[in-house]
Amino acid sequence: VTSWNPSKLGSCLTGMYLERLGVPPDMDFDERTLRIFSVGKIFEDWVVSKIKDSGHKIETQVRLEWPEMDVTGYADALIDDTIVYEIKSKHSRGFDYIPNRQHQKQLWIALKILNKDDGRLLYISKDDLRVAEFLVSLTDENLENEVLEELETLNEAWRCQRPPRPIT
């Protein structure tokens, strides 16, 4: 890992730092978690196919680079060159806890890098196929401040070669 990944923002900054340093995680993902990720990708591909079938132009896995903040990653989709989408699958019980702030941060970074005003978080329930969509705006000052604070903390830690303090 040579930069900060937008999908990790909102998680443990110490863990992000250690991952970039090359320190292996305490535990690997178990088989169940790997299956969950695999099925999530299947749902993302299904949503993308439905968008294509509706006649929209869609670019997937859009490269994101923000050199000033040392961030690289990918946005799930850019539709009609105007709307950035992050597509997330959840179990129906997870719908009680959306939108996820980590996902909002991830999408805000994509908006910033791609210079788009608004984007959408699209959630789909894996077990009952409910869909929920949430707007994320580049002008959301609270979100911007949270993202910039985390990135500044990470970049300062990287410069000093000292991990950020764990949140207890």
Side-chain angles (χ1 to χ4, degrees):
V1 180
T2 60
S3 59
W4 310 118
N5 185 326
S7 67
K8 302 279 179 136
L9 277 188
S11 63
C12 174
L13 299 184
T14 305
M16 289 177 66
Y17 177 92
L18 293 173
E19 178 183 40
R20 183 170 174 185
L21 198 59
V23 176
D26 293 339
M27 295 174 16
D28 290 329
F29 291 120
D30 62 19
E31 289 298 317
R32 178 178 178 272
T33 301
L34 293 173
R35 288 192 305 269
I36 289 169
F37 291 156
S38 178
V39 168
K41 180 65 176 136
I42 291 168
F43 272 91
E44 179 182 326
D45 292 345
W46 179 77
V47 168
V48 165
S49 74
K50 292 297 176 193
I51 294 168
K52 282 181 182 173
D53 290 349
S54 69
H56 291 278
K57 177 184 170 201
I58 186 167
E59 182 182 351
T60 59
Q61 295 303 301
V62 180
R63 181 76 175 151
L64 303 173
E65 295 183 16
W66 190 3
E68 300 82 8
M69 295 306 266
D70 206 10
V71 172
T72 58
Y74 295 89
D76 286 340
L78 179 61
I79 299 173
D80 297 330
D81 293 317
T82 59
I83 302 172
V84 183
Y85 266 83
E86 280 299 323
I87 303 164
K88 307 295 182 187
S89 58
K90 291 252 185 219
H91 187 280
S92 60
R93 287 175 292 185
F95 265 59
D96 294 337
Y97 307 100
I98 59 173
N100 177 303
R101 194 63 166 177
Q102 186 174 350
H103 299 155
Q104 291 172 314
K105 290 176 182 182
Q106 179 183 2
L107 180 52
W108 186 90
I109 287 176
L111 296 174
K112 176 76 173 173
I113 292 170
L114 298 172
N115 195 29
K116 304 296 180 191
D117 293 331
D118 298 304
R120 306 286 191 283
L121 275 174
L122 179 71
Y123 290 95
I124 183 164
S125 170
K126 292 182 245 187
D127 57 313
D128 65 11
L129 298 181
R130 279 185 292 164
V131 175
E133 188 174 63
F134 298 90
L135 176 71
V136 173
S137 176
L138 184 61
T139 60
D140 183 328
E141 290 180 12
N142 291 328
L143 199 49
E144 177 180 13
N145 291 336
E146 290 174 33
V147 167
L148 293 177
E149 182 180 326
E150 286 187 29
L151 289 174
E152 288 165 1
T153 298
L154 287 165
N155 284 322
E156 179 62 21
W158 195 251
R159 277 190 290 279
C160 295
Q161 290 297 289
R162 187 174 327 140
R165 299 184 111 194
I167 298 172
T168 55

